[in-house]
Amino acid sequence: DGGITQSPKYLFRKEGQNVTLSCEQNLNHDAMYWYRQDPGQGLRLIYYSQIVNDFQKGDIAEGYSVSREKKESFPLTVTSAQKNPTAFYLCASSVTSGRSNEQFFGPGTRLTVL
Amino acid sequence: AQRVTQPEKLLSVFKGAPVELKCNYSYSGSPELFWYVQYSRQRLQLLLRHISRESIKGFTADLNKGETSFHLKKPFAQEEDSAMYYCALVNNAGNMLTFGGGTRLMVKP
């Protein structure tokens, strides 16, 4: 069950700390995405990247940052500026960002702020 | 702005009963819609897309532009259909997927 991996599976953070979530894919996909999943709210897009060294803000980018230095990696940093960071975070990738391209999802990381 | 609404958070049916998961959307462009499913302890995965007009695991979904809906239907529900279902819409540029809030389907024996 490879393809997209996320680590760690569970992450605990103290208030005021930054934390970085890992997302790696070996599918040779150009596009990668980060979503936040909250109960009853579905998935909301945080950031996306259509190509290496390029990324754009999604609907809820405030308090988050990303980088895309390598095609296979798209780490997400949750900064201390994010007011309510406790959530389930999903990473996804697609061949390109074309309309009919299926997004493939990772297993997710559950972040809890103590 | 694009928006996807799934009015039911939970839908409970008996095995063998028909099931319809509702999805309504708001989008000014030409819509392209998907249904994603998340089974227990599995990853979120694509179930079907409207452009393919296919039936997957007995599920179908028809895009109704007049009613701005993309309801997911299955004539006879099975216990293994129990899962979380998300309707999603992609923008014209293909770089933003907007999800609905999700509907949990429970199929009782």
Side-chain angles (χ1 to χ4, degrees):
Chain A
D1 195 23
I4 302 179
T5 57
Q6 291 184 242
S7 61
K9 187 173 181 179
Y10 299 98
L11 189 57
F12 297 90
R13 188 195 91 178
K14 293 181 180 179
E15 280 195 37
Q17 286 182 336
N18 292 355
V19 64
T20 297
L21 284 60
S22 169
C23 177
E24 304 276 333
Q25 54 99 359
N26 62 2
L27 301 169
N28 200 33
H29 286 172
D30 284 321
M32 296 186 75
Y33 313 82
W34 272 106
Y35 294 91
R36 173 182 169 135
Q37 188 176 27
D38 294 285
Q41 296 194 53
L43 282 72
R44 291 180 290 167
L45 183 64
I46 304 172
Y47 268 97
Y48 65 95
S49 169
Q50 295 175 270
I51 199 166
V52 175
N53 292 321
D54 183 62
F55 49 83
Q56 278 80 42
K57 293 181 179 180
D59 297 321
I60 55 165
E62 185 176 349
Y64 300 97
S65 66
V66 293
S67 63
R68 186 84 187 279
E69 297 176 1
K70 298 186 295 183
K71 187 175 185 178
E72 58 270 23
S73 179
F74 191 42
L76 173 74
T77 297
V78 184
T79 74
S80 56
Q82 168 50 232
K83 297 189 188 313
N84 185 21
T86 294
F88 191 61
Y89 291 88
L90 283 171
C91 179
S93 70
S94 62
V95 173
T96 66
S97 60
R99 295 195 84 200
S100 296
N101 283 313
E102 175 182 354
Q103 291 191 15
F104 293 84
F105 286 82
T109 293
R110 185 167 298 281
L111 173 64
T112 302
V113 175
L114 304 172
Chain B
Q2 57 195 69
R3 180 177 292 179
V4 178
T5 303
Q6 294 178 249
E8 304 141 328
K9 291 189 176 180
L10 174 65
L11 184 62
S12 183
V13 301
F14 284 102
K15 176 183 173 181
V19 63
E20 180 179 68
L21 288 81
K22 291 184 168 53
C23 172
N24 290 91
Y25 67 90
S26 173
Y27 186 56
S28 57
S30 178
E32 182 157 344
L33 289 129
F34 306 80
W35 276 98
Y36 278 79
V37 61
Q38 189 168 29
Y39 300 103
S40 179
R41 298 188 186 87
Q42 294 188 28
R43 303 182 185 203
L44 189 64
Q45 58 188 287
L46 179 68
L47 179 62
L48 55 80
R49 66 190 88 190
H50 95 266
I51 198 169
S52 300
R53 299 183 182 277
E54 56 197 346
S55 173
I56 303 293
K57 298 185 178 182
F59 284 98
T60 59
D62 291 319
L63 178 61
N64 186 323
K65 292 186 179 181
E67 296 184 357
T68 59
S69 69
F70 188 56
H71 303 329
L72 183 68
K73 300 176 183 179
K74 185 170 182 176
F76 308 103
Q78 303 299 315
E79 289 182 69
E80 55 265 31
D81 295 328
S82 295
M84 195 74 182
Y85 291 81
Y86 292 96
C87 183
L89 172 118
V90 67
N91 64 349
N92 282 332
N95 52 18
M96 291 190 74
L97 197 59
T98 298
F99 285 83
T103 297
R104 181 168 296 283
L105 174 65
M106 292 179 58
V107 182
K108 297 177 286 187

